[in-house]
Amino acid sequence: MTTTTPSRGRRRAPSRIERAAGRAAALQKPRVVLALLLLLGLTSVMLLDGYLRAEVGGDQRVRDGASSSKVPDEIINGGPIISFRGGQATTTSVPDKTIALTFDDGPNPTYTPQVLEILEKYDVPATFFVVGSMVSRYPGIVKDMVDQGNEVGIHTFTHVDLSYQSDARIRREMTQTQLALAGAAGITTTLFRAPYSSETDAIDNYSWPVYKKLGEEGYTSVFVDTDSDDWKKPGVSKIVKWATPSGDSGASVLMHDAGGDREQTIAALPKYIEKMRAKGYTFTTVSGVLEAQNTGAQFPVGNRNGDRNGTDRLQAAHREATGATLYEGKALVVAVAVAEYTVPTLSAGLVVVGVAVMGRFGMMLILARRHYRQRNRRRFSWGPAVTRPVTVIVPAYNEKECIANTLESLARSTHPIEIIVVDDGSSDGTSEISREAARALGMTNVRVIRQENAGKPAALNNGVRHASHDIVVMMDGDTVFEPDTVRQLVQPFADPEVGAVAGNAKVGNRNTVIGAWQHIEYVMGFNLDRRMYDLLRCMPTIPGAIGAFRREAVLQVGGMSEDTLAEDTDITIAMHRAGRRVVYQEHARAWTEAPGSLKQLWSQRYRWSYGTMQALWKHRKSLTDRGPSGRFGRVGMPLVVIFQIVTPVFAPLIDVFTAYSMIFVDFRAALYAWLAVLGVQLVCAAYAFRLDKERYRYLLMMPLQQLAYRQMMYLVLIHSCITALTGGRLRWQKLKRTGEVGTPAGVGP
């Protein structure tokens, strides 16, 4: 009943494992850090882009009827330009026959260049109050604006009403806009116009402290006394009319070059300039108004860029950005450029991923239904019943908690079997427990083979070499079979083309949150994915928990390979390439103990996903092979790469963009979209549960699974991709077991 394989002089298992674990830990830590940095970088880019894309709405008033009792009368009744000197506020009016033309909410890539072209054509200067987020997105337009001799002022970074903001928020809005200007045009400015402001008589007790504070910091606040109301889109003639001051009065005129459809503004601007010049008006900037008041100078009519002195005077509000401000500004512009490139690219990827995910769900449902109907036809048969004995190989490494249950389940098998337990250098008495369990159960068909620790593939190969029968069933040492499992599993071998059979693995410890999540995943995987792959004849993996092989087919492909961490996927693809048919037998069920902690789950799935990548790379030549090997390369490999690697790697985009949309776009629409995707997944899961006759109550865990479990699986896959790209290597990792999955009679659905 027992056999022992000689030592052959290998190193002692514990020290080898410890050294390997140390090397693995040293290699994996940098990759974990890299994966986290990539995730952090993506999150930062998304947040930056969302912050930059905060909507700039129309200039509707935010408050109505607020008191202005604390605002000095000379401010309310004064001119549109408020300066502070020595803590004292003074106002300045635009002189007669003079227009200080101002534009708010830009720059805009469509309308601002058109405005600049018109201004240059008519040699008219203007003052642009720019939104910092737009400056950082379109720095080239701002540079052109300044180089052309126009003046810029701050209109906050996100077009927010500062009256109700904290001092920290106000400071941030101003500083970020200054940095954006520094990065775009190498300047800072002393001009400021608050969003939603209009004439000085609208200053109230909420906004006045903001103007005072900014004035004390050196800012000049600029209001209007003539509003074109172009944002209302009243028509070209009305824009021109409303922008025209009465009589010969000077005016600070407000127009917009962004924040909405500005086609009427573009059409009205030339007409307005021509009208005002015909009336003898001169155009200047805000700084030009202030300088004229201080010096008594006359305003030039044109020649805006004709001499350096004129340019300096018209740009008097500008300061050259130097030092940290300049470099931080350039860094901001570069970061925004990255975001501007990344987010649209990711958006396009999201569309592709979304189509692929929905297409996969649809294909799985259709093919799973067809597979179910084919297998449940009355006349369906694999051929004459397979009744000859088979060998069950149980590789075991430190399985003291589970091995007795495994043997007990095999003792109830309705099919004649011999059992080979291959103890892979266990240090917990697995061999002794196996022998004692066999004796207690009266099993005379059990052999225990002990070898030095060499890994699961070596243990399986050892079992194959010692097998007495032409069909070998492979299972894990923590798995239990139903009495009819082996009989069901081997029936497809009645077809001489079949070289291997995949069984239906089920989660036994499903009564925990993590177990329930994995239960949903297993049921969907085995009843949708595997049915689809079986129908397409490109089954990618025979699960290690339950699979059967023709012994001579295993030997033909060289046995279980140690080249990859996914020896089950490796040998399955090798079977395809050798011309053997691999099928799925859904009625052969095995109950396995899923990882009980997130750490163990991560370790297991990391090995699975990385091993799958290794196996695909190893068999990459199947893409150009002919015959059965070429069939898997042309059909199976693309499906696995697309559905198990590429799509899951980019699937987090769906969740990232959902969160992005909820925060920055439309919360309700984003929520409905997420619920719609969840609904599709629930339909697929419900159908899989129906096919497997499982209880639907576990589907109540699916929303939480999507929010937590799926994210972890995405990270595992991304981590595995990084490991693959950096050439890392892992060993077969042993998970901690509890032995709570008993015989199938106690854990049925």
Side-chain angles (χ1 to χ4, degrees):
M1 186 175 68
T2 62
T3 305
T4 301
T5 299
S7 167
R8 291 182 292 179
R10 292 181 178 171
R11 288 174 289 180
R12 188 170 59 87
S15 61
R16 180 182 179 186
I17 293 172
E18 289 169 359
R19 287 195 297 271
R23 290 194 300 269
L27 288 172
Q28 295 312 311
K29 187 174 181 180
R31 297 187 182 102
V32 172
V33 172
L34 180 58
L36 292 176
L37 287 176
L38 288 174
L39 178 63
L40 177 61
L42 175 61
T43 303
S44 299
V45 166
M46 296 295 295
L47 290 175
L48 176 60
D49 186 78
Y51 185 49
L52 295 172
R53 293 178 185 272
E55 289 294 329
V56 178
D59 286 335
Q60 69 274 14
R61 297 294 298 275
V62 176
R63 323 171 284 283
D64 289 311
S67 173
S68 58
S69 59
K70 298 180 181 179
V71 184
D73 291 339
E74 57 269 24
I75 297 298
I76 292 178
N77 300 318
I81 304 173
I82 303 177
S83 303
F84 288 79
R85 293 184 179 86
Q88 188 68 31
T90 60
T91 65
T92 302
S93 298
V94 181
D96 292 345
K97 290 283 188 174
T98 304
I99 297 295
L101 186 58
T102 66
F103 293 87
D104 280 7
D105 294 350
N108 176 279
T110 300
Y111 301 114
T112 305
Q114 296 182 61
V115 170
L116 292 176
E117 183 178 353
I118 294 170
L119 295 178
E120 185 172 33
K121 175 182 177 181
Y122 287 93
D123 200 16
V124 168
T127 302
F128 290 83
F129 289 93
V130 293
V131 177
S133 60
M134 303 295 285
V135 173
S136 58
R137 291 173 63 191
Y138 307 110
I141 297 177
V142 177
K143 188 175 188 308
D144 291 342
M145 189 184 293
V146 173
D147 290 346
Q148 192 173 300
N150 298 291
E151 199 166 50
V152 295
I154 290 176
H155 201 45
T156 73
F157 195 81
T158 60
H159 202 272
V160 64
D161 184 358
L162 297 182
S163 301
Y164 301 105
Q165 307 304 321
S166 65
D167 289 346
R169 175 66 184 275
I170 294 172
R171 187 179 304 108
R172 186 165 65 250
E173 291 283 333
M174 303 299 289
T175 301
Q176 289 173 343
T177 308
Q178 295 282 29
L179 288 176
L181 288 173
I187 63 158
T188 59
T189 183
T190 60
L191 299 182
F192 167 71
R193 173 175 285 164
Y196 311 109
S197 64
S198 57
E199 300 177 12
T200 54
D201 60 6
I203 300 174
D204 56 32
N205 294 342
Y206 292 100
S207 57
W208 176 239
V210 176
Y211 298 126
K212 284 184 61 178
K213 180 176 179 58
L214 293 177
E216 292 168 357
E217 294 177 1
Y219 285 99
T220 297
S221 294
V222 182
F223 294 81
V224 300
D225 48 26
T226 304
D227 193 344
S228 70
D229 280 337
D230 58 342
W231 62 274
K232 295 179 180 179
K233 294 185 285 189
V236 173
S237 60
K238 286 188 177 181
I239 291 175
V240 173
K241 178 181 177 181
W242 292 345
T244 303
S246 60
D248 293 334
S249 300
S252 171
V253 177
L254 172 61
M255 291 186 177
H256 295 83
D257 61 324
D261 182 356
R262 299 298 176 235
E263 291 294 342
Q264 292 184 6
T265 303
I266 299 301
L269 184 57
K271 298 180 183 297
Y272 176 70
I273 294 173
E274 291 172 358
K275 175 183 177 181
M276 300 314 295
R277 281 203 170 150
K279 294 182 65 174
Y281 273 77
T282 297
F283 289 90
T284 188
T285 61
V286 171
S287 291
V289 173
L290 293 174
E291 187 172 348
Q293 182 195 47
N294 295 332
T295 64
Q298 297 296 315
F299 295 106
V301 183
N303 195 32
R304 183 177 50 153
N305 297 311
D307 60 80
R308 181 63 184 168
N309 292 331
T311 301
D312 287 343
R313 178 173 51 74
L314 291 175
Q315 295 180 336
H318 296 171
R319 303 288 183 270
E320 182 181 358
T322 58
T325 300
L326 178 62
Y327 293 114
E328 289 176 20
K330 290 184 178 297
L332 173 62
V333 170
V334 170
V336 171
V338 171
E340 288 285 290
Y341 172 81
T342 302
V343 173
T345 301
L346 293 178
S347 299
L350 174 63
V351 173
V352 174
V353 170
V355 170
V357 169
M358 293 298 106
R360 179 194 182 199
F361 284 144
M363 185 166 65
M364 284 194 305
L365 287 175
I366 293 171
L367 296 183
R369 174 63 178 169
R370 183 179 298 177
H371 183 277
Y372 174 79
R373 296 183 66 179
Q374 286 184 0
R375 292 293 174 85
N376 285 273
R377 291 174 181 169
R378 292 183 178 179
R379 291 180 294 178
F380 174 79
S381 174
W382 292 105
V386 177
T387 58
R388 61 187 183 275
V390 301
T391 299
V392 178
I393 303 172
V394 186
Y397 174 69
N398 289 343
E399 298 286 2
K400 67 177 182 180
E401 296 88 355
C402 307
I403 194 65
N405 288 338
T406 299
L407 293 176
E408 183 181 354
S409 73
L410 293 174
R412 301 179 182 182
S413 175
T414 59
H415 194 90
I417 59 175
E418 77 160 343
I419 304 168
I420 299 178
V421 178
V422 183
D423 182 356
D424 186 37
S426 299
S427 59
D428 65 347
T430 294
S431 297
E432 291 73 15
I433 295 173
S434 300
R435 296 188 187 99
E436 292 173 4
R439 282 194 293 267
L441 294 167
M443 302 173 70
T444 59
N445 57 342
V446 178
R447 282 188 287 164
V448 179
I449 300 175
R450 182 171 173 81
Q451 65 178 35
E452 285 202 11
N453 179 257
K456 185 178 181 180
L460 289 170
N461 288 332
N462 201 355
V464 170
R465 285 192 295 270
H466 287 83
S468 304
H469 305 294
D470 65 328
I471 296 176
V472 293
V473 173
M474 298 181 184
M475 66 183 297
D476 289 336
D478 58 2
T479 301
V480 294
F481 280 2
E482 295 179 0
D484 205 36
T485 294
V486 175
R487 187 186 70 82
Q488 292 280 3
L489 187 63
V490 300
Q491 293 311 306
F493 289 109
D495 184 342
E497 292 185 2
V498 174
V501 181
N504 185 357
K506 305 182 73 60
V507 175
N509 55 330
R510 61 181 67 175
N511 293 323
T512 64
V513 173
I514 299 177
W517 289 342
Q518 294 175 84
H519 172 51
I520 296 172
E521 182 184 37
Y522 271 53
V523 172
M524 291 185 69
F526 280 91
N527 288 280
L528 296 181
D529 282 272
R530 273 182 169 74
R531 289 178 186 271
M532 175 184 71
Y533 286 125
D534 189 7
L535 204 61
L536 296 175
R537 294 201 172 190
C538 57
M539 184 77 61
T541 303
I542 297 174
I546 176 170
F549 302 82
R550 293 190 191 274
R551 182 173 181 271
E552 53 94 10
V554 175
L555 297 175
Q556 177 188 354
V557 299
M560 292 290 178
S561 173
E562 298 183 9
D563 295 339
T564 73
L565 291 171
E567 72 286 335
D568 45 8
T569 300
D570 193 342
I571 195 171
T572 305
I573 299 176
M575 287 281 178
H576 283 294
R577 299 188 70 186
R580 303 283 182 166
R581 185 181 174 191
V582 181
V583 301
Y584 172 53
Q585 175 58 290
E586 66 272 19
H587 301 300
R589 294 181 292 191
W591 297 80
T592 187
E593 181 177 341
S597 69
L598 293 177
K599 181 178 180 180
Q600 292 179 353
L601 179 62
W602 180 287
S603 178
Q604 181 195 68
R605 298 311 171 86
Y606 183 29
R607 178 175 60 85
W608 285 3
S609 59
Y610 181 48
T612 298
M613 294 177 197
Q614 288 179 309
L616 293 174
W617 180 253
K618 176 181 176 180
H619 295 283
R620 61 190 181 277
K621 290 185 178 179
S622 63
L623 289 168
T624 56
D625 286 348
R626 297 182 179 181
S629 178
R631 174 178 175 79
F632 178 82
R634 291 186 299 271
V635 180
M637 187 170 290
L639 287 176
V640 174
V641 171
I642 293 172
F643 291 151
Q644 294 187 27
I645 299 177
V646 176
T647 300
V649 163
F650 290 98
L653 291 176
I654 297 175
D655 301 306
V656 169
F657 272 89
T658 298
Y660 173 88
S661 300
M662 286 182 174
I663 296 172
F664 297 110
V665 184
D666 188 327
F667 177 85
R668 182 175 297 180
L671 179 61
Y672 287 160
W674 185 82
L675 290 175
V677 174
L678 176 62
V680 172
Q681 292 175 310
L682 277 171
V683 169
C684 293
Y687 185 64
F689 271 59
R690 178 186 175 188
L691 292 179
D692 218 22
K693 297 180 174 60
E694 284 285 355
R695 295 176 180 175
Y696 293 112
R697 62 186 177 89
Y698 289 100
L699 295 180
L700 295 174
M701 297 294 295
M702 198 162 185
L704 185 59
Q705 183 200 46
Q706 298 302 307
L707 291 172
Y709 180 78
R710 289 295 180 189
Q711 318 310 317
M712 179 178 177
M713 294 300 100
Y714 297 152
L715 293 177
V716 168
L717 187 58
I718 293 171
H719 189 189
S720 301
C721 289
I722 293 174
T723 303
L725 292 173
T726 54
R729 181 162 178 87
L730 300 174
R731 284 179 53 84
W732 179 38
Q733 296 158 318
K734 166 67 180 170
L735 300 179
K736 183 179 180 180
R737 302 300 185 184
T738 64
E740 61 183 293
V741 178
T743 55
V747 295

